[in-house]
Amino acid sequence: MYMKRKAPFKIKVVEPIKWNTRDKREQLIKEAHYCFAYVPAEEIPVNLLTDSGTSAMSQEQWAGMMRGDESYYCASNWYNFEKAVQDYTGFKYVLPAHQGRAAEHVVCRVLIKKPGTTTYANAHFGTTEAHARLFGANPVNLPAPEALAPETAADFKGNINLEAFEKAINEKGAAMIPFLNMVLVNNFTAGQPVSMANLRAASKLARKNGIKVVVDAARVPENAYFIKEREEGYGNRSIREICHEIFSYADVMHMSAKKGALVNIGGFIATNDQSLYEEMGQWLIIFDGFLTYGGLSGRDLEAVAIGLNEGLDYDYLAYRIGQVEYLGKLMREREIPIYEPVGGHAVYVNGEKAYPHLAKEEFAAHALSVQTYIEAGVYAGENPSSLGWSRTDPETGKYTPPPFELVRFAIPRRVYTDSQLEYTADGVKAALDQGGRVRGFRFVWKPDNEFLRIFYYKLERL
Ligand code: F0G
């Protein structure tokens, strides 16, 4: 298995890391009200908060940035970008966006025409959820039942629960469902992939009822890799071919290029639906930028165009997912309770198992995140957990924590070495060894919008 881990690159430029002390970290996180949004990044020696916008770019991407054409309309880089997205998705119409949520804003604004509707997903990403609410829809997650069993490995735990979706269509009526949102890989359920069979069936069900299918492709290359490796009939298909089939089940796709396209900023929307394209384009111009740049500079467009293609390379994906698997193996060896199997972009550690003495309301996952930082200078965010992901149902008023209390160790692409992953596993073990001495937290301040608690809040120790 580890023979697959042939790194398809070597390091040419290095960024120094500043190492601080345990005492300093304890002070820093306390002064930051136990919220990492207030900790200077240079005080975080190993930062596994996210794989979004944190990739190392290739020499081709950097060279491409030098060819940035900063003309307002129709920069030459736009044509490269448009072609790269068309080749990637098989769709004709392309809209650039400055990042994923800007794309979602436009998609949700145009597809959600009336309040009181419901959007369904295998699990909405937080920003999609927030946009659905903004335009008057209630976003409902329908993860497959196996996703809710963190210790039982299965191949495609990112799937949507098809029975539940069919039942929802029958109960709500298709006219009250603006879209089905399929997230590949599913960030909310521990980075697990969706099978082609599940996507195909969900899309068929939606389309039969006239419901639009939206694919969130932030990490679609990783999902395509899992399909190739795990699903019958795909072993001989290329990652690009698998992506084309994935997008054939969508009416519109959007992507945060900050993930699978190996750039630090960027995003886009693509579709074959001309009227949808024209309507979305008009909003894009107002909120993000003109149709040929969408909030990006010419050089950013070029980096996306090149990175999209690099992100489809099989050897790179085998290396990348091999690195996630390697961190999972290191954690298992140290008896750290992880969500099984590891996902496409991260290893998720089970906070409730790590600190069984803490109640859900005391934010066990966040306590593990904070402790790992204090012990080792490694930062991974609670995600999803009761701190940022508890929600009040607008219909019933019921406040419900998410099914998980997880810490996500997301691995930036082409950035950290295996030695840093080994160090990380040791750091988590050190945090676990603190055991019952670790106390939980309570809010001293939180933003009104529940969704924003993913990002910032103020806490004190219990
Ligand atoms: N969709 C998915 C599945 C995501 O994971 C994200 C971002 C977005 C959309 C929004 O994209 O950040 O470019 O606006 N996820 C980041 C993360 C923040 O850490 O998982 P964006």
Side-chain angles (χ1 to χ4, degrees):
M1 171 179 168
Y2 292 104
M3 280 302 285
K4 275 191 185 162
R5 303 192 56 249
K6 292 179 286 192
F9 57 85
K10 56 187 175 177
I11 299 167
K12 176 152 29 197
V13 177
V14 294
E15 177 183 337
I17 288 175
K18 179 179 122 182
W19 281 97
N20 46 22
T21 61
R22 189 185 188 284
D23 285 350
K24 173 80 178 172
R25 292 191 292 268
E26 201 160 24
Q27 176 206 335
L28 279 165
I29 191 66
K30 189 173 179 206
E31 283 169 6
H33 310 280
Y34 299 100
C35 175
F36 286 93
Y38 305 114
V39 178
E42 68 163 10
E43 298 290 356
I44 303 174
V46 179
N47 197 332
L48 305 184
L49 167 66
T50 182
D51 62 325
S52 177
T54 52
S55 298
M57 293 208 298
S58 66
Q59 59 184 4
E60 285 73 20
Q61 286 175 295
W62 282 108
M65 289 188 83
M66 288 305 293
R67 295 192 299 270
D69 166 1
E70 305 308 339
S71 312
Y72 191 93
Y73 294 130
C74 300
S76 57
N77 315 104
W78 154 249
Y79 298 102
N80 298 340
F81 181 101
E82 184 186 38
K83 179 164 188 325
V85 176
Q86 286 168 337
D87 290 349
Y88 192 74
T89 59
F91 286 131
K92 184 173 173 192
Y93 300 107
V94 179
L95 292 169
H98 84 271
Q99 64 180 89
R101 68 199 70 178
E104 290 162 26
H105 180 97
V106 172
V107 170
C108 290
R109 178 179 282 277
V110 167
L111 291 183
I112 302 172
K113 293 282 188 213
K114 51 186 175 203
T117 52
T118 310
T119 59
Y120 291 97
N122 51 346
H124 298 77
F125 180 67
T127 49
T128 321
E129 175 204 331
H131 276 116
R133 288 192 203 285
L134 182 66
F135 299 114
N138 184 26
V140 171
N141 293 340
L142 301 174
E146 57 270 25
L148 306 180
E151 278 144 56
T152 316
D155 283 346
F156 293 104
K157 291 172 80 173
N159 284 349
I160 189 168
N161 182 336
L162 290 166
E163 270 171 43
F165 181 45
E166 186 158 28
K167 191 162 165 262
I169 298 173
N170 293 335
E171 280 172 10
K172 295 271 171 189
M176 294 305 280
I177 305 175
F179 59 77
L180 165 69
N181 178 216
M182 292 294 287
V183 184
L184 281 67
V185 298
N186 193 342
N187 202 1
F188 186 77
T189 58
Q192 302 295 309
V194 176
S195 72
M196 195 71 92
N198 183 260
L199 176 64
R200 188 185 302 122
S203 168
K204 198 171 163 198
L205 194 56
R207 285 175 167 175
K208 193 175 82 185
N209 288 280
I211 299 166
K212 293 250 186 281
V213 182
V214 178
V215 163
D216 178 335
R219 299 181 181 87
V220 93
E222 282 97 341
N223 201 114
Y225 176 88
F226 283 124
I227 289 175
K228 184 175 168 70
E229 295 297 300
R230 297 179 181 174
E231 194 162 349
E232 219 187 305
Y234 289 91
N236 292 325
R237 305 271 295 276
S238 72
I239 299 291
R240 189 184 294 277
E241 284 168 343
I242 295 172
C243 286
H244 277 190
E245 185 176 341
I246 288 172
F247 295 123
S248 76
Y249 301 125
D251 298 295
V252 53
M253 64 75 70
H254 56 80
M255 180 171 188
S256 166
K258 297 172 72 173
K259 285 94 174 163
L262 293 156
V263 287
N264 306 120
I265 197 74
F268 55 86
I269 303 167
T271 182
N272 273 341
D273 185 328
Q274 188 180 350
S275 66
L276 204 56
Y277 161 76
E278 282 168 4
E279 203 181 338
M280 290 190 297
Q282 294 180 32
W283 289 108
L284 183 84
I285 298 170
I286 297 170
F287 282 98
D288 213 16
F290 191 67
L291 305 177
T292 60
Y293 76 87
L296 294 170
S297 61
R299 55 181 173 269
D300 295 325
L301 292 168
E302 192 64 32
V304 174
I306 297 167
L308 262 181
N309 289 320
E310 290 183 2
L312 293 180
D313 181 68
Y314 179 82
D315 289 343
Y316 147 74
L317 283 169
Y319 166 78
R320 161 154 183 73
I321 288 164
Q323 209 178 31
V324 183
E325 282 171 356
Y326 182 56
L327 180 59
K329 173 177 175 281
L330 295 168
M331 298 255 198
R332 278 184 217 109
E333 283 168 4
R334 288 159 181 75
E335 296 182 354
I336 296 163
I338 63 170
Y339 183 106
E340 295 285 3
V342 298
H345 63 306
V347 177
Y348 290 69
V349 178
N350 190 333
E352 274 175 311
K353 288 255 161 172
Y355 294 147
H357 63 288
L358 295 181
K360 233 179 172 36
E361 312 75 71
E362 296 172 330
F363 308 140
H366 188 63
L368 179 63
S369 161
V370 168
Q371 203 61 34
T372 305
Y373 175 67
I374 292 173
E375 298 301 332
V378 176
Y379 167 38
E382 52 75 36
N383 181 348
S385 90
S386 48
L387 174 57
W389 309 75
S390 298
R391 297 288 182 269
T392 305
D393 187 301
E395 281 165 25
T396 62
K398 200 170 155 222
Y399 186 74
T400 314
F404 310 115
E405 196 64 30
L406 301 176
V407 183
R408 183 184 75 169
F409 289 78
I411 305 190
R413 295 167 183 79
R414 307 190 292 207
V415 170
Y416 287 111
T417 61
D418 284 3
S419 76
Q420 283 157 320
L421 300 184
E422 287 152 16
Y423 177 83
T424 294
D426 285 341
V428 182
K429 179 74 172 73
L432 241 63
D433 288 345
Q434 292 295 314
R437 281 192 290 274
V438 175
R439 281 169 294 132
F441 300 96
R442 70 168 152 250
F443 279 118
V444 286
W445 175 84
K446 52 188 184 227
D448 295 336
N449 183 338
E450 286 175 344
F451 148 75
L452 292 175
R453 293 173 205 165
I454 293 172
F455 298 100
Y456 72 146
Y457 41 78
K458 289 182 181 172
L459 300 174
E460 65 186 6
R461 282 272 192 201
L462 288 165

